[in-house]
Amino acid sequence: MSHLSVAKFGGTSVANFDAMTASANIVMADPNTRVVVLSASAGVTNYLVELANGCTESRREEILSAVRTIQYSIIEQLQQPQAVSEEIEQLLQNISVLANSASLATSAALTDELICHGEMMSTKIFTQLLNERNFPAVWVDVRDVVATNSQFGKAAPNDEKTQQQADQLLKPLINTGKIVITQGFIGRDEEGKTTTLGRGGSDYSAALLAEVLAANDVLIWTDVAGIYTTDPRVVATAKRIDTMSFNEAAEMATFGAKVLHPATLLPAVRSNIPVFVGSSKAPEQGGTWVTRDPQPRPTFRALALRRNQVLLTLSSLSMLHAQGFLANVFTILAKYKISVDVITTSEVSIALTLDKTGSASSGADMLSSELLDELRQLCHVKVETDLALVAIIGNNLHTQAGVAKQLFATLSPYNVRLISYGASTNNVCTLVQNGDVDSIAQDLHSALFE
């Protein structure tokens, strides 16, 4: 098999007819792109999550109307809208039935079944758009390929079964010259139920399919021309990074950069598959390549921002010179499926932020009263909100003299709630007030990159 690329297009790249057409042009212009993974059209998943959480009949009707409008604004500009409208109507009917069920009782399994419909609709429409241009596109239900466990909302793939199903279904299509159009973000468990890989999991899907197909690269087409030194909407002078390492990109993704999903890089790193990030609206502008060992590797690479963090501080004198306290804390957190993000400790207290990566979670609603009650039997519990995480990403930060002075001198005008430094060679994390985060990002960027 010649060079094979797996391309993924995000929600803004399939948001409307013009965006879809631009994405189709990219696919048709690149003979190496043989598998295309799509997100739902921009806005659709948010609407479906709201339906899955249960809402009033009038709100359900409003949302269904809004979703219909988004999809039909594209369908009506096709040459043969009737070729796909019947399938879209069936999917909209499914959404309505599932939304009615969710209004009576919600569940994680029902949520996954409902929110997968966004990707189903966008891929049906995109396949028709390509077929109208005499392009050999074929629609594939990714649930027939990606096998997962049953952890709804954040399912983990079964790599062996996914490999078998890709060999049986995808490889024969590719070998006969077909271009596979399929969905990101979703899979199927052993009982045949729809699962999702967590919010933003379309990138992960693309990397996973690239791995099982032994692809040469993964092309992530989004609304920005690559990965920048920080969010250009916050810092106007942010610069594009031409090439960066898997480690650096993973740190950026983990700490809030929205260009790449944190789990995206796992299959790519495992199989050493380069990942490209570019703009579907301006492919000629180039983008960022993420590879195993790019050169040069500067001390400071980027800043990542993550707003609306929750800080949990657990204090107890019984921690002093005692064994097992941390083990007890983490046993309770694991029981409630809470993943810890950033952590610092003292002799009698531990402060930690929560990992909110998931399909529909916010930090506050992860802290159930049952969880807090169980923790309070062990220690004093304090919950703080309205905080933001600023992560400084770089290389060998713990061995470079003067790094701490440079950072803390810049941060001196601000209240810093938490600092995590030394556990990783690639990041320094600070927790600050939400209201200060833009100013801090601008000051740090000026000091470190300009």
PDB file of all heavy atoms in Angstrom, residues 270-292:
ATOM      1  N   ARG A 270       2.664   5.452  20.334  1.00  0.00           N
ATOM      2  CA  ARG A 270       2.923   4.005  20.335  1.00  0.00           C
ATOM      3  C   ARG A 270       3.510   3.548  19.008  1.00  0.00           C
ATOM      4  O   ARG A 270       4.419   2.736  18.957  1.00  0.00           O
ATOM      5  CB  ARG A 270       1.597   3.266  20.568  1.00  0.00           C
ATOM      6  CG  ARG A 270       1.397   2.766  21.958  1.00  0.00           C
ATOM      7  CD  ARG A 270       0.201   1.847  22.111  1.00  0.00           C
ATOM      8  NE  ARG A 270      -0.946   2.060  21.262  1.00  0.00           N
ATOM      9  CZ  ARG A 270      -2.196   2.227  21.716  1.00  0.00           C
ATOM     10  NH1 ARG A 270      -2.437   2.258  23.009  1.00  0.00           N
ATOM     11  NH2 ARG A 270      -3.195   2.362  20.874  1.00  0.00           N
ATOM     12  N   SER A 271       2.964   4.062  17.915  1.00  0.00           N
ATOM     13  CA  SER A 271       3.364   3.591  16.592  1.00  0.00           C
ATOM     14  C   SER A 271       4.198   4.615  15.829  1.00  0.00           C
ATOM     15  O   SER A 271       4.436   4.448  14.630  1.00  0.00           O
ATOM     16  CB  SER A 271       2.107   3.231  15.780  1.00  0.00           C
ATOM     17  OG  SER A 271       1.403   2.193  16.410  1.00  0.00           O
ATOM     18  N   ASN A 272       4.634   5.673  16.517  1.00  0.00           N
ATOM     19  CA  ASN A 272       5.484   6.701  15.912  1.00  0.00           C
ATOM     20  C   ASN A 272       4.880   7.247  14.610  1.00  0.00           C
ATOM     21  O   ASN A 272       5.523   7.273  13.558  1.00  0.00           O
ATOM     22  CB  ASN A 272       6.896   6.156  15.662  1.00  0.00           C
ATOM     23  CG  ASN A 272       7.886   7.264  15.357  1.00  0.00           C
ATOM     24  OD1 ASN A 272       7.653   8.438  15.678  1.00  0.00           O
ATOM     25  ND2 ASN A 272       8.989   6.919  14.710  1.00  0.00           N
ATOM     26  N   ILE A 273       3.620   7.674  14.686  1.00  0.00           N
ATOM     27  CA  ILE A 273       2.925   8.234  13.523  1.00  0.00           C
ATOM     28  C   ILE A 273       2.905   9.756  13.655  1.00  0.00           C
ATOM     29  O   ILE A 273       2.315  10.280  14.604  1.00  0.00           O
ATOM     30  CB  ILE A 273       1.481   7.696  13.436  1.00  0.00           C
ATOM     31  CG1 ILE A 273       1.473   6.170  13.356  1.00  0.00           C
ATOM     32  CG2 ILE A 273       0.758   8.306  12.229  1.00  0.00           C
ATOM     33  CD1 ILE A 273       0.088   5.548  13.497  1.00  0.00           C
ATOM     34  N   PRO A 274       3.534  10.502  12.737  1.00  0.00           N
ATOM     35  CA  PRO A 274       3.504  11.963  12.818  1.00  0.00           C
ATOM     36  C   PRO A 274       2.072  12.494  12.722  1.00  0.00           C
ATOM     37  O   PRO A 274       1.232  11.932  12.010  1.00  0.00           O
ATOM     38  CB  PRO A 274       4.328  12.411  11.601  1.00  0.00           C
ATOM     39  CG  PRO A 274       5.161  11.226  11.245  1.00  0.00           C
ATOM     40  CD  PRO A 274       4.342  10.019  11.605  1.00  0.00           C
ATOM     41  N   VAL A 275       1.821  13.574  13.459  1.00  0.00           N
ATOM     42  CA  VAL A 275       0.496  14.212  13.467  1.00  0.00           C
ATOM     43  C   VAL A 275       0.647  15.642  12.955  1.00  0.00           C
ATOM     44  O   VAL A 275       1.494  16.393  13.433  1.00  0.00           O
ATOM     45  CB  VAL A 275      -0.100  14.233  14.890  1.00  0.00           C
ATOM     46  CG1 VAL A 275      -1.446  14.954  14.906  1.00  0.00           C
ATOM     47  CG2 VAL A 275      -0.257  12.816  15.434  1.00  0.00           C
ATOM     48  N   PHE A 276      -0.186  16.003  11.981  1.00  0.00           N
ATOM     49  CA  PHE A 276      -0.176  17.366  11.421  1.00  0.00           C
ATOM     50  C   PHE A 276      -1.433  18.085  11.872  1.00  0.00           C
ATOM     51  O   PHE A 276      -2.522  17.502  11.896  1.00  0.00           O
ATOM     52  CB  PHE A 276      -0.137  17.307   9.893  1.00  0.00           C
ATOM     53  CG  PHE A 276      -0.272  18.649   9.214  1.00  0.00           C
ATOM     54  CD1 PHE A 276       0.809  19.501   9.082  1.00  0.00           C
ATOM     55  CD2 PHE A 276      -1.505  19.063   8.708  1.00  0.00           C
ATOM     56  CE1 PHE A 276       0.681  20.737   8.464  1.00  0.00           C
ATOM     57  CE2 PHE A 276      -1.646  20.296   8.086  1.00  0.00           C
ATOM     58  CZ  PHE A 276      -0.549  21.132   7.965  1.00  0.00           C
ATOM     59  N   VAL A 277      -1.304  19.354  12.229  1.00  0.00           N
ATOM     60  CA  VAL A 277      -2.461  20.185  12.591  1.00  0.00           C
ATOM     61  C   VAL A 277      -2.483  21.395  11.671  1.00  0.00           C
ATOM     62  O   VAL A 277      -1.510  22.158  11.613  1.00  0.00           O
ATOM     63  CB  VAL A 277      -2.383  20.650  14.062  1.00  0.00           C
ATOM     64  CG1 VAL A 277      -3.603  21.504  14.415  1.00  0.00           C
ATOM     65  CG2 VAL A 277      -2.284  19.471  15.002  1.00  0.00           C
ATOM     66  N   GLY A 278      -3.566  21.569  10.919  1.00  0.00           N
ATOM     67  CA  GLY A 278      -3.686  22.706  10.007  1.00  0.00           C
ATOM     68  C   GLY A 278      -5.110  23.203   9.930  1.00  0.00           C
ATOM     69  O   GLY A 278      -6.033  22.610  10.496  1.00  0.00           O
ATOM     70  N   SER A 279      -5.307  24.308   9.197  1.00  0.00           N
ATOM     71  CA  SER A 279      -6.626  24.934   9.062  1.00  0.00           C
ATOM     72  C   SER A 279      -7.325  24.471   7.797  1.00  0.00           C
ATOM     73  O   SER A 279      -6.787  24.629   6.690  1.00  0.00           O
ATOM     74  CB  SER A 279      -6.486  26.460   9.050  1.00  0.00           C
ATOM     75  OG  SER A 279      -7.709  27.057   8.658  1.00  0.00           O
ATOM     76  N   SER A 280      -8.540  23.938   7.953  1.00  0.00           N
ATOM     77  CA  SER A 280      -9.310  23.522   6.776  1.00  0.00           C
ATOM     78  C   SER A 280      -9.763  24.724   5.961  1.00  0.00           C
ATOM     79  O   SER A 280     -10.084  24.599   4.772  1.00  0.00           O
ATOM     80  CB  SER A 280     -10.528  22.697   7.207  1.00  0.00           C
ATOM     81  OG  SER A 280     -11.406  23.474   8.007  1.00  0.00           O
ATOM     82  N   LYS A 281      -9.786  25.906   6.595  1.00  0.00           N
ATOM     83  CA  LYS A 281     -10.210  27.115   5.877  1.00  0.00           C
ATOM     84  C   LYS A 281      -9.056  27.741   5.105  1.00  0.00           C
ATOM     85  O   LYS A 281      -9.285  28.525   4.185  1.00  0.00           O
ATOM     86  CB  LYS A 281     -10.787  28.120   6.881  1.00  0.00           C
ATOM     87  CG  LYS A 281     -12.099  27.637   7.487  1.00  0.00           C
ATOM     88  CD  LYS A 281     -12.567  28.505   8.624  1.00  0.00           C
ATOM     89  CE  LYS A 281     -13.870  27.928   9.198  1.00  0.00           C
ATOM     90  NZ  LYS A 281     -14.113  28.358  10.558  1.00  0.00           N
ATOM     91  N   ALA A 282      -7.819  27.430   5.511  1.00  0.00           N
ATOM     92  CA  ALA A 282      -6.648  28.005   4.840  1.00  0.00           C
ATOM     93  C   ALA A 282      -5.520  26.978   4.809  1.00  0.00           C
ATOM     94  O   ALA A 282      -4.479  27.164   5.446  1.00  0.00           O
ATOM     95  CB  ALA A 282      -6.209  29.282   5.554  1.00  0.00           C
ATOM     96  N   PRO A 283      -5.715  25.872   4.083  1.00  0.00           N
ATOM     97  CA  PRO A 283      -4.688  24.814   4.080  1.00  0.00           C
ATOM     98  C   PRO A 283      -3.347  25.284   3.536  1.00  0.00           C
ATOM     99  O   PRO A 283      -2.304  24.737   3.892  1.00  0.00           O
ATOM    100  CB  PRO A 283      -5.304  23.721   3.192  1.00  0.00           C
ATOM    101  CG  PRO A 283      -6.362  24.411   2.388  1.00  0.00           C
ATOM    102  CD  PRO A 283      -6.879  25.528   3.244  1.00  0.00           C
ATOM    103  N   GLU A 284      -3.398  26.336   2.692  1.00  0.00           N
ATOM    104  CA  GLU A 284      -2.157  26.839   2.103  1.00  0.00           C
ATOM    105  C   GLU A 284      -1.233  27.491   3.133  1.00  0.00           C
ATOM    106  O   GLU A 284      -0.040  27.701   2.885  1.00  0.00           O
ATOM    107  CB  GLU A 284      -2.469  27.844   0.976  1.00  0.00           C
ATOM    108  CG  GLU A 284      -3.024  29.184   1.418  1.00  0.00           C
ATOM    109  CD  GLU A 284      -4.496  29.162   1.845  1.00  0.00           C
ATOM    110  OE1 GLU A 284      -5.156  28.110   1.641  1.00  0.00           O
ATOM    111  OE2 GLU A 284      -4.972  30.181   2.365  1.00  0.00           O
ATOM    112  N   GLN A 285      -1.765  27.809   4.321  1.00  0.00           N
ATOM    113  CA  GLN A 285      -0.952  28.454   5.353  1.00  0.00           C
ATOM    114  C   GLN A 285      -0.030  27.481   6.086  1.00  0.00           C
ATOM    115  O   GLN A 285       0.799  27.888   6.894  1.00  0.00           O
ATOM    116  CB  GLN A 285      -1.850  29.160   6.377  1.00  0.00           C
ATOM    117  CG  GLN A 285      -2.545  30.394   5.839  1.00  0.00           C
ATOM    118  CD  GLN A 285      -3.395  31.092   6.890  1.00  0.00           C
ATOM    119  OE1 GLN A 285      -3.323  30.776   8.080  1.00  0.00           O
ATOM    120  NE2 GLN A 285      -4.208  32.041   6.454  1.00  0.00           N
ATOM    121  N   GLY A 286      -0.163  26.179   5.808  1.00  0.00           N
ATOM    122  CA  GLY A 286       0.664  25.197   6.498  1.00  0.00           C
ATOM    123  C   GLY A 286       0.139  24.939   7.897  1.00  0.00           C
ATOM    124  O   GLY A 286      -1.012  25.245   8.211  1.00  0.00           O
ATOM    125  N   GLY A 287       0.998  24.386   8.756  1.00  0.00           N
ATOM    126  CA  GLY A 287       0.552  24.061  10.103  1.00  0.00           C
ATOM    127  C   GLY A 287       1.704  23.553  10.949  1.00  0.00           C
ATOM    128  O   GLY A 287       2.860  23.902  10.708  1.00  0.00           O
ATOM    129  N   THR A 288       1.385  22.723  11.926  1.00  0.00           N
ATOM    130  CA  THR A 288       2.370  22.196  12.871  1.00  0.00           C
ATOM    131  C   THR A 288       2.473  20.683  12.724  1.00  0.00           C
ATOM    132  O   THR A 288       1.451  19.985  12.718  1.00  0.00           O
ATOM    133  CB  THR A 288       1.946  22.524  14.319  1.00  0.00           C
ATOM    134  OG1 THR A 288       1.836  23.936  14.469  1.00  0.00           O
ATOM    135  CG2 THR A 288       2.959  21.986  15.322  1.00  0.00           C
ATOM    136  N   TRP A 289       3.707  20.183  12.635  1.00  0.00           N
ATOM    137  CA  TRP A 289       3.949  18.736  12.662  1.00  0.00           C
ATOM    138  C   TRP A 289       4.389  18.318  14.060  1.00  0.00           C
ATOM    139  O   TRP A 289       5.280  18.934  14.642  1.00  0.00           O
ATOM    140  CB  TRP A 289       5.030  18.344  11.657  1.00  0.00           C
ATOM    141  CG  TRP A 289       4.520  18.210  10.256  1.00  0.00           C
ATOM    142  CD1 TRP A 289       4.628  19.123   9.250  1.00  0.00           C
ATOM    143  CD2 TRP A 289       3.794  17.097   9.711  1.00  0.00           C
ATOM    144  NE1 TRP A 289       4.023  18.651   8.104  1.00  0.00           N
ATOM    145  CE2 TRP A 289       3.502  17.414   8.354  1.00  0.00           C
ATOM    146  CE3 TRP A 289       3.357  15.872  10.232  1.00  0.00           C
ATOM    147  CZ2 TRP A 289       2.809  16.544   7.525  1.00  0.00           C
ATOM    148  CZ3 TRP A 289       2.663  15.009   9.397  1.00  0.00           C
ATOM    149  CH2 TRP A 289       2.391  15.336   8.063  1.00  0.00           C
ATOM    150  N   VAL A 290       3.739  17.293  14.584  1.00  0.00           N
ATOM    151  CA  VAL A 290       4.101  16.746  15.897  1.00  0.00           C
ATOM    152  C   VAL A 290       4.777  15.398  15.643  1.00  0.00           C
ATOM    153  O   VAL A 290       4.156  14.487  15.078  1.00  0.00           O
ATOM    154  CB  VAL A 290       2.860  16.572  16.787  1.00  0.00           C
ATOM    155  CG1 VAL A 290       3.257  16.126  18.176  1.00  0.00           C
ATOM    156  CG2 VAL A 290       2.061  17.878  16.860  1.00  0.00           C
ATOM    157  N   THR A 291       6.055  15.295  16.065  1.00  0.00           N
ATOM    158  CA  THR A 291       6.836  14.092  15.781  1.00  0.00           C
ATOM    159  C   THR A 291       7.578  13.651  17.045  1.00  0.00           C
ATOM    160  O   THR A 291       7.530  14.332  18.074  1.00  0.00           O
ATOM    161  CB  THR A 291       7.852  14.353  14.654  1.00  0.00           C
ATOM    162  OG1 THR A 291       8.749  15.379  15.080  1.00  0.00           O
ATOM    163  CG2 THR A 291       7.161  14.792  13.370  1.00  0.00           C
ATOM    164  N   ARG A 292       8.284  12.535  16.941  1.00  0.00           N
ATOM    165  CA  ARG A 292       8.923  11.975  18.129  1.00  0.00           C
ATOM    166  C   ARG A 292      10.077  12.845  18.631  1.00  0.00           C
ATOM    167  O   ARG A 292      10.199  13.091  19.822  1.00  0.00           O
ATOM    168  CB  ARG A 292       9.413  10.557  17.829  1.00  0.00           C
ATOM    169  CG  ARG A 292      10.075   9.878  19.020  1.00  0.00           C
ATOM    170  CD  ARG A 292      10.259   8.396  18.803  1.00  0.00           C
ATOM    171  NE  ARG A 292       8.986   7.675  18.957  1.00  0.00           N
ATOM    172  CZ  ARG A 292       8.852   6.367  18.762  1.00  0.00           C
ATOM    173  NH1 ARG A 292       9.894   5.654  18.393  1.00  0.00           N
ATOM    174  NH2 ARG A 292       7.676   5.773  18.927  1.00  0.00           N
TER     175      ARG A 292
END
